[in-house]
Amino acid sequence: MKDPDIGAVARASGLPASTLRYYEEIGLIASSGRKGLRRLFDPGIYERLALISLGRNAGFSLQEIGAMFAQDGNPRIDRAQLHDKADELDRLIRRLRAMRDGLRHAAECPAPSHLECPTFQRLLKAASADMKRGKSKGK
Amino acid sequence: MKDPDIGAVARASGLPASTLRYYEEIGLIASSGRKGLRRLFDPGIYERLALISLGRNAGFSLQEIGAMFAQDGNPRIDRAQLHDKADELDRLIRRLRAMRDGLRHAAECPAPSHLECPTFQRLLKAASADMKRGKSKGK
DNA sequence: GCTTGACCTCAAGTTCACTTGAACTCGTAA
DNA sequence: TTACGAGTTCAAGTGAACTTGAGGTCAAGC
């Protein structure tokens, strides 16, 4: 298997070539060389892209993700940082669960208007509290 | 209680005045009148803002939220839409839970490098699958 | 009467994560 | 040999959700 060019990586990863170029531009990935003009990538790119996707799913920004790689290209993930992120996800999940339950309830609630439904009112109260505390960034 | 001006609403809601003006500009909220130049808001604004915050927490865009109000200003929330959103939240929550568990595991994993840990590899595999399927928008 | 502070408008700027377009260079197939 | 498709660069544009800045208006307090 020769080193894939950008088209091959794009097809295999599902990411558009423009995104791959962008990722390279911001230093998130690197091409292993050129053949003429064309970038070639090391097959390790797939793992790297998977790591990036993982980070994105967990709600990290591209910057944060970039900071998680050592110069040698290996992940350098601080275990404490992982714990922090897991805790943050926990909080987010709790909020989302409450939201989901509230939505579901509102969808079924027999009150003529959502505004008159006690559960909906509870949701509203929670939402306005969130608003005041400044929302933690969900993904 | 006189109708609050933008400063009062800002203090009470925790939202910057610039945001309130912006919300008004895009038609998401309305001021009830002016006293000289200054906007005055109807006290109902707080409920409205809570509804908006609720929508934002649930992952709706400001546009979508705007569409949820009837011209009379009352919420006009489609029950089917609520169900859809709840289902979407469910899917998001599942993904986030998996992510959280994976992070937590990785933080504890004794493997010398995350890349060698089977659980982490499973996460990676899932992430690259997500990547290929095109991510559903989380909030 | 003058200053101050809170408000106003309007246009432009910001961040994030990309995408798009114009103009160019290759290698390959007809 | 020429045409084509897939790559290239660089600059500019996109969209969401705001923020910032310049310059202006007002009511209140000293």
Side-chain angles (χ1 to χ4, degrees), chain A residues 47-48 51 68-77, chain B residues 113 115:
Chain A
E47 190 176 80
R48 179 97 172 194
L51 279 167
M68 287 179 188
F69 294 103
Q71 311 82 322
D72 63 2
N74 283 326
R76 173 200 58 182
I77 307 178
Chain B
S113 148
L115 289 181

Side-chain angles (χ1 to χ4, degrees), chain A residues 12-13 15 47 49-51 53-54 57-58 75 77 79 82-83 85-87 89-90 92-93 95-97 99-100 103-104 106-109 111 114-115 120 123-124 127-128 130-132 138-139, chain B residues 12-13 15 47 49-51 53-54 57-58 75 77 79 82-83 85-87 89-90 92-93 95-97 99-100 103-104 106-109 111 114-115 120 123-124 127-128 130-132 138-139:
Chain A
S13 71
L15 296 172
E47 190 176 80
L49 288 173
L51 279 167
S53 166
L54 182 63
N57 275 335
I77 307 178
R79 290 176 200 266
L82 291 184
H83 269 305
K85 201 65 189 188
D87 291 349
L89 279 180
D90 253 347
L92 176 58
I93 288 167
R95 279 203 308 135
L96 292 179
R97 268 213 308 260
M99 191 62 51
R100 176 204 56 193
L103 289 178
R104 209 151 262 162
E108 242 108 64
C109 182
H114 294 309
L115 288 181
F120 200 73
L123 257 182
L124 272 190
S128 74
D130 271 11
M131 185 164 68
K132 272 164 228 172
K139 62 149 315 198
Chain B
S13 71
L15 295 172
E47 189 177 83
L49 289 174
L51 279 167
S53 167
L54 181 62
N57 275 334
I77 307 180
R79 288 173 202 268
L82 291 184
H83 268 306
K85 202 65 188 189
D87 292 348
L89 279 180
D90 252 349
L92 176 59
I93 288 167
R95 280 203 305 136
L96 292 179
R97 268 213 308 259
M99 192 61 52
R100 174 205 57 192
L103 288 178
R104 209 150 262 161
E108 242 108 62
C109 181
H114 294 308
L115 289 181
F120 199 72
L123 258 181
L124 272 190
S128 74
D130 273 11
M131 185 164 67
K132 271 164 230 174
K139 61 152 314 199

